[in-house]
Amino acid sequence: MARIIISLPALLCLIGLLHSTEGANCNEKVADIVFLLDSSTSIRTEQFQEQLHFVQNVADNFKIGSNNIQVGAITFSDETLLNFHLNEHQTTAELKSAISEIPYIGGGTNTAKAIAYAREEMFKPEHGGRAWAAKILVLITDGFLNRNHYVAAQQEAYFAKHTNITIMAIGVGSGVQDMDLEGLASTPREKYVFRVDEYQALNTLRNELSIKTCEGPLQKDQSNEKNLEPEKQPKKFCGGKPADMYFLLDSSNSIHITDFDRQLRFVSDIVDIFDISESHTRVGVTLYSDRTHPVIPINNDFDKDELKFRVRNLHRLTGNTNTAAALKNVREYGFRDDIARSEVAHIVVLLTDGKSTNTFKTEREAELAHKAGIYVFAIGIGDMASIPELMAIASDPAESFMFKVNNYNALRHLRNILAIKACTVEATQNDKSVENNFACGTYGPRDIMFVFDGVSLGLEKSTVLRKAIGKIAKNMGLESKQDQRVGVMSEVYAHGTDSRLAEIRDQESFEERLDNAKEGKLRTLLRKLRHHSFLPINGGRSNAEHVAVLFLDRRSEITPLVIHEAIRTAFKIKLYVVVVGDEGSVPDADRMCSSPPDRYLLHVPTYADVSASTVSIARQICDA
């Protein structure tokens, strides 16, 4: 039986229509309607045909023409496929014929890309979009690949709704949740959310969807920003509300000079909305790549025109994407007590087009910023921006503080939305205890061994790791009442790889023993870890979780025998591998840790960053 979310008045209207006529014919309605049709592999060919029949039947209820209702169609899977624009078919017969020829494509489900394409392309005047017509998207879907895909789709739907596009969301089957549909559709949900159990039941929605489309308000001319609805139009100068705001702009190698200029133009446009003065809104700008470069301090004395001029004339840097350093700098120095105003909202707007060089460190710095009372807006540009990382950077709730756009040109669509949200936040108190909080909550007994090859690393690096291990243990609650035991193993005298004076008499045997010694230290460490470290005689407990943290760098001798020993170890013990160096600097590291690697393999850029990463490492162990 089909399940439909429907209001009582609409139901009565629908019953009347069913008794009086075959459909809800919109003779006087002026609307531009775009159907987004799910064509992913989760839908069988016959189910896809049911979608097409549904759209054809809905079209029968409309008066099709350039002065009435126009219909466009998009199919989507991994990619978005344009079927036809709004102005291509101006009679019902032509439209239904074109719908019948829409091909099934198969693939994944990238709903976000389809919504973005519809918003950016389908309602353009050259494609038939009319400024005076209602703009309506009808989305049909049976679910999303994962939560990241859903969050991206929700973000794109948010942008569409803020450009006065009405979204009707139709969910098919149990793979899509009511809550997800409500997050995509316009409000009220009783009017714009529909549910059916299967594709064959879509036609039960034919008249109901037509009624809701006919009831839609006439679209205002969008050519002038003054025609925006009041809640979708930024109040000039935030009504005089003061704030201290920093823009953190990605200036890494991945950004082309023209895209960097678009970032600057975006900041300049945002500045134009606020009342820039010492007593109202103050704006600072920081560029970041490998290093952090505060280029415009927040306590500057520039008026609006001077500030915009300086922003537009900033020069791009080069390097990697050290997002964590930028967040740390703005928290520790940008909002210092002698610089920032305690009585106003502290706001950071971070833009990036990629993933940071150290996700764990970035997430930790974002958490510290949140606890320090800083509101963080995270804006990701392009396909390389990581949605999970953006969600971690953004303040809560993520749907209000995280944005994702396809390219730098699309930043202009965020101008008003960001200004509105920035005007609504309030000053919060700094949590002075953020540095003193343990990363772990309550857990059962846990025995943890930290392992590194001290002989190969040398004294200096070994000292760095020993200090870091102490901090990791502290952050995991060793000083609290947690039932936890910690040990360290860094040196093994492997007698099987050493040789006495009279033991070897020929060159071949001597060279073979020397080769074995290369892999003997690390392999023997892992074997001792597996066989001896967690025995009762060494303090191990049978009722405790057994965990090991293995540190490696590019000098570590990783041979097939070492990998084999690590795999055997990970079979009995939760084995984390921390690589000090860039991703890929230790080949096969992902084979040595427990599975999955994205949970048990961690990277720290350099030994200088190890100390700062201890909380992130502790959190990763705790979360698992």
Side-chain angles (χ1 to χ4, degrees):
M1 185 69 182
R3 295 186 293 113
I4 308 171
I5 297 178
I6 181 171
S7 63
L8 180 59
L11 180 60
L12 295 173
C13 180
L14 175 58
I15 292 171
L17 280 165
L18 291 173
H19 281 285
S20 62
T21 179
E22 292 183 0
N25 201 301
C26 296
N27 288 319
E28 303 302 326
K29 182 68 180 178
V30 180
D32 292 335
I33 304 173
V34 175
F35 285 88
L36 304 186
L37 307 178
D38 193 338
S39 187
S40 59
T41 304
S42 63
I43 299 172
R44 298 193 302 272
T45 304
E46 59 269 24
Q47 293 174 325
F48 182 73
Q49 290 301 317
E50 294 287 352
Q51 283 192 88
L52 300 186
H53 294 155
F54 168 67
V55 178
Q56 287 177 314
N57 290 335
V58 171
D60 268 334
N61 289 350
F62 297 144
K63 183 175 181 180
I64 302 298
S66 58
N67 294 320
N68 296 95
I69 288 180
Q70 299 183 137
V71 174
I74 295 170
T75 46
F76 66 94
S77 57
D78 291 308
E79 300 297 329
T80 299
L81 176 65
L82 169 67
N83 302 122
F84 49 83
H85 282 300
L86 293 165
N87 56 0
E88 288 190 40
H89 306 292
Q90 295 298 322
T91 68
T92 302
E94 287 180 8
L95 176 61
K96 292 178 67 177
S97 176
I99 293 169
S100 68
E101 295 176 1
I102 293 176
Y104 171 75
I105 51 180
T109 309
N110 196 333
T111 314
K113 185 179 288 187
I115 297 174
Y117 181 86
R119 171 176 59 83
E120 295 172 357
E121 297 294 333
M122 295 300 287
F123 297 101
K124 286 182 175 180
E126 58 265 35
H127 298 149
R130 299 164 294 177
W132 60 89
K135 297 188 290 185
I136 300 172
L137 287 183
V138 181
L139 169 67
I140 304 175
T141 185
D142 65 352
F144 307 90
L145 285 179
N146 53 50
R147 295 310 297 173
N148 291 344
H149 278 249
Y150 170 71
V151 170
Q154 185 185 44
Q155 188 68 69
E156 290 297 341
Y158 182 88
F159 295 153
K161 288 180 282 188
H162 270 73
T163 55
N164 275 6
I165 297 173
T166 298
I167 299 181
M168 297 181 172
I170 302 175
V172 183
S174 59
V176 57
Q177 303 299 314
D178 291 341
M179 180 176 61
D180 292 344
L181 295 173
E182 292 167 14
L184 299 178
S186 297
T187 54
R189 68 182 181 88
E190 293 82 4
K191 187 173 182 179
Y192 297 115
V193 175
F194 306 83
R195 285 299 303 261
V196 293
D197 289 333
E198 56 188 6
Y199 281 94
Q200 289 181 332
L202 276 173
N203 271 318
T204 63
L205 297 179
R206 169 188 174 183
N207 288 319
E208 171 65 4
L209 184 70
S210 302
I211 292 169
K212 298 296 176 64
T213 304
C214 292
E215 291 175 349
L218 184 67
Q219 180 75 355
K220 296 181 180 180
D221 188 343
Q222 290 291 302
S223 60
N224 193 311
E225 196 177 80
K226 293 180 180 178
N227 287 323
L228 284 172
E229 296 175 23
E231 68 272 14
K232 296 175 183 177
Q233 180 181 357
K235 190 172 183 180
K236 197 69 171 177
F237 303 149
C238 276
K241 184 177 179 180
D244 283 348
M245 178 183 296
Y246 277 98
F247 287 88
L248 306 186
L249 306 182
D250 191 340
S251 189
S252 58
N253 288 333
S254 60
I255 300 176
H256 192 273
I257 184 66
T258 55
D259 289 332
F260 180 73
D261 288 340
R262 291 186 179 103
Q263 280 193 100
L264 302 183
R265 192 177 305 120
F266 172 69
V267 175
S268 178
D269 290 344
I270 295 290
V271 166
D272 209 30
I273 295 174
F274 296 110
D275 184 1
I276 303 299
S277 69
E278 291 185 7
S279 58
H280 291 92
T281 300
R282 302 191 304 173
V283 172
V285 180
T286 293
L287 307 181
Y288 68 95
S289 56
D290 287 318
R291 293 177 294 174
T292 300
H293 299 260
V295 288
I296 300 178
I298 203 167
N299 56 348
N300 64 77
D301 57 359
F302 306 140
D303 61 20
K304 180 180 294 187
D305 290 337
E306 176 70 12
L307 179 59
K308 290 170 63 179
F309 174 80
R310 289 177 178 269
V311 167
R312 294 293 290 269
N313 284 277
L314 293 174
H315 297 289
R316 184 175 69 102
L317 309 172
T318 57
N320 294 319
T321 310
N322 194 342
T323 313
L327 289 167
K328 182 176 183 178
N329 179 273
V330 77
R331 174 176 60 85
E332 293 184 345
Y333 302 104
F335 290 111
R336 223 170 50 199
D337 291 343
D338 60 333
I339 295 176
R341 296 169 292 176
S342 60
E343 71 277 8
V344 306
H346 294 174
I347 301 170
V348 165
V349 180
L350 183 143
L351 284 76
T352 184
D353 72 346
K355 190 176 181 180
S356 68
T357 53
N358 189 321
T359 297
F360 305 107
K361 192 172 177 181
T362 296
E363 291 181 0
R364 176 54 179 165
E365 287 300 333
E367 181 183 1
L368 291 174
H370 300 161
K371 290 182 177 180
I374 301 170
Y375 293 97
V376 183
F377 291 91
I379 301 176
I381 303 113
D383 294 335
M384 298 305 294
S386 166
I387 290 178
E389 187 172 80
L390 291 171
M391 292 178 68
I393 293 171
S395 296
D396 288 329
E399 56 266 25
S400 294
F401 289 90
M402 189 206 84
F403 303 91
K404 181 79 162 46
V405 294
N406 289 338
N407 52 58
Y408 282 90
N409 280 326
L411 281 174
R412 65 182 186 275
H413 297 300
L414 293 181
R415 173 181 179 267
N416 291 340
I417 301 171
L418 182 63
I420 293 167
K421 291 186 175 295
C423 288
T424 60
V425 300
E426 302 290 342
T428 59
Q429 293 298 314
N430 185 356
D431 183 356
K432 298 296 185 180
S433 66
V434 293
E435 298 293 351
N436 299 322
N437 291 341
F438 290 129
C440 275
T442 302
Y443 49 78
R446 178 184 284 156
D447 294 343
I448 307 175
M449 287 296 302
F450 293 90
V451 184
F452 60 92
D453 185 353
V455 175
S456 298
L457 294 179
L459 179 60
E460 183 178 355
K461 293 178 180 177
S462 296
T463 301
V464 170
L465 291 183
R466 287 185 180 277
K467 290 181 178 179
I469 289 167
K471 290 184 177 181
I472 293 170
K474 180 178 180 181
N475 282 308
M476 292 185 66
L478 185 60
E479 291 183 347
S480 66
K481 296 180 180 179
Q482 305 291 1
D483 190 4
Q484 180 173 260
R485 294 181 182 178
V486 175
V488 178
M489 184 167 58
S490 62
E491 296 181 8
V492 171
Y493 293 98
H495 298 294
T497 60
D498 294 338
S499 58
R500 295 184 294 273
L501 287 172
E503 186 176 353
I504 299 175
R505 297 300 181 93
D506 61 87
Q507 182 67 26
E508 183 179 352
S509 299
F510 187 51
E511 291 180 357
E512 182 182 355
R513 184 66 63 89
L514 290 175
D515 288 337
N516 290 339
K518 291 181 180 179
E519 62 190 22
K521 297 288 191 297
L522 190 53
R523 184 186 177 197
T524 307
L525 279 169
L526 289 169
R527 184 182 293 138
K528 184 177 180 181
L529 172 69
R530 179 162 56 91
H531 286 301
H532 302 288
S533 293
F534 296 100
L535 292 176
I537 193 173
N538 292 320
R541 296 166 294 175
S542 60
N543 66 329
E545 179 185 34
H546 293 168
V547 178
V549 181
L550 173 65
F551 291 90
L552 302 173
D553 67 10
R554 61 182 180 81
R555 298 178 59 187
S556 303
E557 293 284 347
I558 309 299
T559 66
L561 288 175
V562 171
I563 294 170
H564 178 70
E565 195 63 49
I567 292 172
R568 296 181 69 185
T569 302
F571 185 75
K572 297 181 61 177
I573 300 164
K574 279 188 176 180
L575 181 58
Y576 292 84
V577 173
V578 180
V579 174
V580 183
D582 297 331
E583 293 188 28
S585 59
V586 179
D588 295 314
D590 58 337
R591 296 176 59 194
M592 298 177 64
C593 62
S594 294
S595 184
D598 59 356
R599 179 177 296 177
Y600 292 96
L601 177 61
L602 299 82
H603 286 87
V604 180
T606 67
Y607 279 93
D609 298 307
V610 169
S611 180
S613 301
T614 53
V615 175
S616 297
I617 295 171
R619 285 183 60 212
Q620 188 78 352
I621 298 171
C622 292
D623 291 345

